[in-house]
Amino acid sequence: MTTPRLFHVGLMIALIAVSGVAVAAGSGSKKVKGVAPSAEKAVPLAVGQSLPDVKVTTEEGKSVKLSKALEGKPAAIVFYRGHWCPYCMKHLAGLKEIAGELDALGVNLVAITPDKSEYIAEAKAKADLSIDIYSDGKLDAAKAMGVAYQMDPDMAERYKKHLVESTGHDTGQLPLPSVFLTDAAGKITWVFSNPDFKVRLSNEEFLAAVKKAQG
């Protein structure tokens, strides 16, 4: 028969063990400001909000404010994961088909990626696309626009080699593939994002959204 004293000691040991497991489980998932804990929990900036005052890096390695990069024109901003992602490259290549029409509509089509500047030319060559692409290596723009998220440990390990090579960082963080439309004043007029990185905006939906936003 267990004595009350032994029962209490055993209970305390069990509680300490459970607490230790909880701490250990949470030790690898630090919260980072602006980074959602998963793709499903990312909250992109909404229609009516203004573009954040953040800097991105040009293909030549120069730092520039995103607002200045858009040249005060209505814009379509495409976030993609990197030159190593086949879904991203397919999406970029597809944009070539509507780039001319977007330009005719007065829309400045640009893309933002965590890739280092040195990989931007490679991505443009792969996609055969001559738009401005900006590097967002530390995800400052992605965080400010609500599309940065933390991968789960298994996925982070799977992509670790790609991310270290293309960004120089091992954070396990990526931008949610997204499209933001903005007016000339930098107000967001339309947003597309999907936590499933395999799902991308079609060209037909893209053009329809642009035309609707322009009234």
Side-chain angles (χ1 to χ4, degrees):
M1 183 173 177
T2 305
T3 65
R5 180 178 176 79
L6 289 176
F7 173 78
H8 287 303
V9 170
L11 180 60
M12 288 177 67
I13 292 173
L15 288 173
I16 291 171
V18 170
S19 298
V21 170
V23 170
S27 62
S29 55
K30 297 178 181 178
K31 290 185 178 180
V32 179
K33 185 178 180 181
V35 179
S38 68
E40 291 75 17
K41 293 185 178 180
V43 182
L45 292 184
V47 171
Q49 291 186 278
S50 297
L51 281 176
D53 188 25
V54 293
K55 290 184 177 181
V56 288
T57 305
T58 67
E59 184 178 346
E60 296 74 29
K62 295 180 180 179
S63 180
V64 61
K65 282 189 176 182
L66 180 58
S67 56
K68 186 175 181 180
L70 298 179
E71 302 172 346
K73 295 170 58 179
I77 304 168
V78 178
F79 278 90
Y80 71 94
R81 307 193 307 164
H83 71 288
W84 49 268
C85 171
Y87 298 95
C88 297
M89 289 301 95
K90 182 179 179 180
H91 186 210
L92 284 183
L95 292 178
K96 179 178 61 175
E97 299 173 8
I98 61 171
E101 191 166 353
L102 289 173
D103 186 57
L105 290 168
V107 175
N108 188 2
L109 175 62
V110 302
I112 299 177
T113 175
D115 280 349
K116 296 176 184 176
S117 297
E118 62 198 73
Y119 289 105
I120 291 177
E122 181 180 333
K124 290 168 74 169
K126 278 185 180 180
D128 191 21
L129 188 63
S130 57
I131 65 170
D132 288 328
I133 298 181
Y134 296 96
S135 173
D136 185 33
K138 294 184 179 180
L139 297 184
D140 290 336
K143 292 172 186 176
M145 295 180 73
V147 295
Y149 73 95
Q150 187 75 43
M151 291 183 283
D152 64 62
D154 289 339
M155 185 170 286
E157 184 60 31
R158 191 188 321 162
Y159 289 145
K160 181 177 180 178
K161 182 179 178 181
H162 290 305
L163 294 181
V164 170
E165 177 187 348
S166 62
T167 70
H169 303 294
D170 180 22
T171 61
Q173 297 164 9
L174 281 173
L176 196 67
S178 312
V179 177
F180 291 85
L181 300 183
T182 66
D183 62 17
K187 291 281 187 181
I188 295 171
T189 58
W190 190 82
V191 181
F192 168 87
S193 66
N194 193 306
D196 183 350
F197 64 85
K198 298 178 182 179
V199 178
R200 303 304 172 99
L201 185 67
S202 72
N203 285 346
E204 293 75 20
E205 293 169 320
F206 203 142
L207 286 175
V210 169
K211 292 173 181 178
K212 184 177 180 180
Q214 292 186 338

